[in-house]
Amino acid sequence: AAKAAGGSSCRVFTDALRERADRRLTVENDLRRALQEGELRVHYQPVVDLRDGHRTGFEALVRWAHPRRGLLLPEQFLDVAEDAGLVGLVDGLVLEESLGFLTRHPTARVAVNTSARCLDGTFAPTVARDLDRRGLAPDRLTVELLEGSLVPGDPVTEAELRDLAALGVGVLIDDFGTGYSTLSYLRRLPVTGLKLDRSFVADLPQDPGSDRIAAAVARLADDFGLTSTCEGVETADQARHLAAQGWQSAQGFHFGVPGPEERWFPAGAQGA
Ligand code: C2E
Ligand code: MG
Ligand code: MG
Ligand code: MG
């Protein structure tokens, strides 16, 4: 097509890049507006104890209630938020909303996702202050960090994680197994748990490779004294298999899809 149009493939590439840049700018401006107008929402997905299936908490997941495009998922706007330096605002909003959730539901626990980019030295003090201001026990909050976003050896990150752990806030490595230097984090960073990426769960129980990885990571978590959670559990078979491997907690469509607060705490009903 490039030749027929008299251009080179390089030209096509440039057009594609420009299109992408345009899309980014559009989404970015739209997102700035959305932040001001309060269009971001938080959905909560239950986390259950794999041994008996009881709900131990929730993961907070950001959504964008777009006036024209409908409810947008993180994959439709988070990369743009990252590039535009807006992800801190997004994460801050989700944290604030989640602390409100904890205040309204006194026995609930919540895990929030945080870009490691937000660990700039102000994160732990902000969390400490916000928890204190609301009178919330720190162990009701967990912070999930994407393995891929962590910078090993960065002293500010490490200090932040140490401060969070000292507060009693849980710190999980999210999507565990998909990053590059997984094991060095376990040695260096004061994390309290890990969450197995759903790509290792998807082909259970049939796929022998996934089976061995899941079993090995469960043992690893146990050896390091870390909490173990797996994500993306979609069938009863997977749940049984992971429980037998020693996994403590799980989340996934089998147990509950992410939904707004009212789904889990219908209007009027308080507590957990
Ligand atoms: P994550 O932290 O690994 O979250 C789990 C994702 O898996 C969620 O996608 C959830 O809806 C989805 N999921 C849960 N159970 C199942 C299942 O059984 N099967 C399948 N196929 N998927 C399942 P979601 O909500 O689209 O979020 C995607 C990612 O966006 C999250 O992955 C997290 O990395 C990021 N994210 C979400 N909220 C925030 C936020 O507030 N701040 C930041 N920085 N990142 C966020
Ligand atoms: Mg997560
Ligand atoms: Mg995850
Ligand atoms: Mg994931």
Side-chain angles (χ1 to χ4, degrees):
K3 284 240 165 67
S8 66
S9 56
C10 188
R11 162 78 172 285
V12 172
F13 183 61
T14 310
D15 287 348
L17 273 184
R18 184 172 308 119
E19 221 168 86
R20 203 175 106 180
D22 285 350
R23 178 199 154 248
R24 290 206 163 220
L25 197 61
T26 310
V27 175
E28 179 183 333
N29 288 331
D30 206 15
L31 183 58
R32 288 186 194 280
R33 182 194 53 74
L35 281 162
Q36 295 219 309
E37 318 242 316
E39 290 174 7
L40 294 196
R41 303 277 178 273
V42 179
H43 279 189
Y44 300 89
Q45 182 176 39
V47 179
V48 306
D49 186 322
L50 261 183
R51 285 160 293 203
D52 58 13
H54 87 276
R55 195 161 79 199
T56 56
F58 298 88
E59 177 174 9
L61 296 159
V62 70
R63 301 289 182 262
W64 177 358
H66 196 283
R68 280 180 297 103
R69 300 171 64 202
L71 196 69
L72 303 184
L73 295 170
E75 66 190 20
Q76 295 170 280
F77 61 91
L78 262 192
D79 57 336
V80 174
E82 282 266 1
D83 289 353
L86 294 172
V87 75
L89 280 176
V90 173
D91 287 355
L93 226 133
V94 172
L95 175 66
E96 186 58 31
E97 188 54 39
S98 298
L99 295 182
F101 179 92
L102 290 179
T103 307
R104 289 186 290 280
H105 309 294
T107 62
R109 291 161 174 270
V110 170
V112 296
N113 294 283
T114 298
S115 168
R117 226 187 262 198
C118 298
L119 302 179
D120 61 356
T122 63
F123 184 74
T126 304
V127 168
R129 189 201 59 205
D130 291 352
L131 285 168
D132 186 61
R133 193 150 54 196
R134 289 176 178 270
L136 295 169
D139 66 359
R140 297 179 60 203
L141 181 71
T142 293
V143 172
E144 299 190 2
L145 293 164
L146 279 185
E147 195 183 354
S149 75
L150 285 165
V151 183
D154 178 63
V156 179
T157 305
E158 292 188 17
E160 287 265 44
L161 295 185
R162 244 169 271 286
D163 289 350
L164 287 172
L167 265 177
V169 171
V171 178
L172 296 191
I173 299 186
D174 202 353
D175 295 352
F176 189 84
T178 58
Y180 294 109
S181 31
T182 300
L183 295 175
S184 72
Y185 296 131
L186 291 187
R187 188 165 54 94
R188 297 190 59 113
L189 300 176
V191 299
T192 59
L194 48 87
K195 199 182 242 190
L196 183 69
D197 189 62
R198 69 167 185 259
S199 58
F200 301 109
V201 174
D203 300 320
L204 289 178
Q206 291 82 11
D207 179 55
S210 300
D211 175 51
R212 278 197 297 271
I213 289 174
V217 177
R219 276 196 303 276
L220 187 75
D222 204 45
D223 284 351
F224 278 77
L226 301 172
T227 66
S228 59
T229 310
C230 30
E231 63 179 22
V233 178
E234 296 184 351
T235 69
D237 249 15
Q238 291 171 340
R240 269 193 301 273
H241 195 81
L242 291 158
Q245 289 183 342
W247 285 92
Q248 295 168 351
S249 314
Q251 65 190 85
F253 298 163
H254 174 63
F255 300 108
V257 300
E261 180 171 350
E262 313 82 71
R263 161 106 46 95
W264 312 113
F265 301 99
Q270 291 287 307

